[in-house]
């Protein structure tokens, strides 16, 4: 993922001043298989929407870190002294960090595969290997979203077992797991 992001950034920067020798070299290095047209990436509306999703999802995830503090872990665990956090984004959905994760992941797929993006413009999609690579990349991001959705049930079960009636009251006030009004 970071390779694609860095290539995208390099291509955009080089495209802004494509007449310099460094920009020409960068653009030629980022073009695959003798692509007939010069690499020309641009920030399409879809690209900008994808980046808006990446930024907003990242900011939401940061807010979640701040509300949970030391209780935020990658592994599903409830430590001694753990408190049930029900304020801030946790008053809107029960798992806003996963909401953020899904927003970021979706935004990256949009940004990195839309018209005008480096992947769409560099010629890699002219090959079967490139097409398969993009499909695998999209599937990996879909897997992230599916994992997030499945993980909410595991976390809810652990929280309910630990906090009992407090969790039940919160779940009634905050019925949605990831997306208000939907799920």
């Amino acid at each position: 993922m970071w390779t694609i992001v860095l290539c995208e950034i390099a291509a955009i920067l080089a495209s802004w001043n494509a007449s310099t020798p460094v920009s020409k070299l960068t653009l030629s290095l980022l073009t695959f298989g003798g692509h007939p047209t010069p690499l020309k990436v641009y920030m399409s509306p879809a690209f900008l929407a994808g980046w808006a999703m990446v930024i907003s999802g990242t900011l939401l995830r940061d807010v979640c870190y701040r509300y949970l503090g030391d209780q935020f872990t990658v592994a599903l665990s409830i430590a001694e002294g753990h408190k049930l956090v029900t304020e801030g984004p946790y008053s809107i959905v029960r798992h806003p960090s996963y909401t953020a994760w899904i927003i970021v992941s979706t935004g990256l797929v949009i940004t990195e595969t839309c018209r005008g993006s480096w992947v769409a413009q560099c010629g890699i999609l002219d090959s079967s290997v490139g097409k398969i690579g993009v499909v695998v990349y999209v599937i990996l991001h879909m897997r992230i979203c599916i994992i997030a959705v499945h993980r909410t049930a595991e976390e809810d079960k652990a929280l309910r077992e630990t906090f009992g009636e407090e969790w039940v009251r919160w779940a009634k006030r905050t019925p949605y797991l990831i997306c208000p009004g939907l799920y």
Side-chain angles (χ1 to χ4, degrees):
M1 174 187 72
W2 285 108
T3 302
I4 294 172
V5 169
L6 293 174
C7 288
E8 186 79 46
I9 291 168
I12 289 170
L13 293 175
S15 291
W16 282 349
N17 195 6
S19 62
T20 68
V22 171
S23 292
K24 286 179 183 178
L25 176 63
T26 301
L27 292 171
S28 70
L29 291 173
L30 293 173
T31 304
F32 289 89
H35 198 58
T37 58
L39 179 63
K40 183 172 174 112
V41 296
Y42 56 92
M43 288 187 249
S44 66
F47 181 88
L48 295 173
W51 268 113
M53 291 175 72
V54 169
I55 291 167
S56 62
T58 300
L59 292 173
L60 175 57
R61 194 142 162 107
D62 184 62
V63 169
C64 294
Y65 287 143
R66 292 174 191 273
Y67 270 87
L68 288 179
D70 293 340
Q71 295 181 163
F72 193 99
T73 60
V74 175
L76 176 56
S77 64
I78 297 178
E80 191 173 323
H82 196 105
K83 292 184 168 99
L84 184 63
V85 175
T86 61
E87 296 95 31
Y90 294 90
S91 67
I92 300 167
V93 294
R94 293 201 303 263
H95 303 280
S97 182
Y98 293 138
T99 304
W101 194 9
I102 291 168
I103 291 169
V104 169
S105 187
T106 303
L108 284 171
V109 168
I110 291 168
T111 299
E112 295 167 353
T113 60
C114 70
R115 180 172 289 142
S117 71
W118 171 71
V119 169
Q121 301 299 113
C122 73
I124 200 165
L125 295 177
D126 294 341
S127 72
S128 297
V129 172
K131 288 175 186 168
I132 291 168
V134 169
V135 168
V136 168
Y137 182 75
V138 170
I139 289 170
L140 289 174
H141 277 279
M142 288 172 56
R143 185 174 175 267
I144 288 171
C145 297
I146 291 167
I147 288 169
V149 169
H150 285 287
R151 180 102 178 242
T152 61
E154 295 172 28
E155 286 190 13
D156 270 354
K157 181 181 176 195
L159 290 169
R160 184 177 190 155
E161 288 172 0
T162 303
F163 296 104
E165 197 55 40
E166 183 183 4
W167 180 89
V168 170
R169 286 191 304 274
W170 173 54
K172 284 181 183 174
R173 282 192 322 269
T174 312
Y176 299 105
L177 301 175
I178 293 177
C179 182
L182 188 59
Y183 177 77

